[in-house]
Amino acid sequence: KEFDIVKSDGSRPSESFSRDKLHASIVAACLSVRTPVGQAEAIASAVTDAVVSWLESKPEVTSHDLRRIAASHLHTHHPDAAYIYQQHRITM
């Protein structure tokens, strides 16, 4: 299933959700707080799976909603990485 993500600021049209993009941004946040690569990958996979499950029931999602939900799941695994993810808008 494909999910469209509506940009919060309205500057660009919606884009398709990219599991890889989300995964990479979570890995980047984890690595920025010195998480070992294997652990960062495992955390990113778990968070990405949780976000995809959450998306299943949503007709439309904003990029802000997506980031908020990803950060809340990331927080359960790694609070420091979640803080970086929320504050620094790491994108790949």
Side-chain angles (χ1 to χ4, degrees), residues 26-45:
I26 293 167
V27 168
C30 289
L31 294 178
S32 72
V33 292
R34 294 180 167 42
T35 306
V37 173
Q39 185 182 359
E41 290 285 345
I43 289 170
S45 292

Side-chain angles (χ1 to χ4, degrees), residues 4 6 8 21 25 27-28 38 54 64-65 68 80 90:
D4 283 332
V6 178
S8 299
K21 185 176 174 182
S25 67
V27 168
W54 175 80
H64 176 76
D65 290 335
R68 182 175 49 81
D80 292 343
I90 297 169

Side-chain angles (χ1 to χ4, degrees), residues 39-77:
Q39 185 182 359
E41 290 285 345
I43 289 170
S45 292
V47 171
T48 302
D49 288 347
V51 170
V52 169
S53 292
W54 175 80
L55 279 171
E56 296 283 339
S57 64
K58 305 293 181 262
E60 183 177 274
V61 175
T62 66
S63 54
H64 176 76
D65 290 335
L66 185 66
R67 179 168 292 277
R68 182 175 49 81
I69 296 303
S72 72
H73 285 289
L74 179 53
H75 191 270
T76 65
H77 296 279

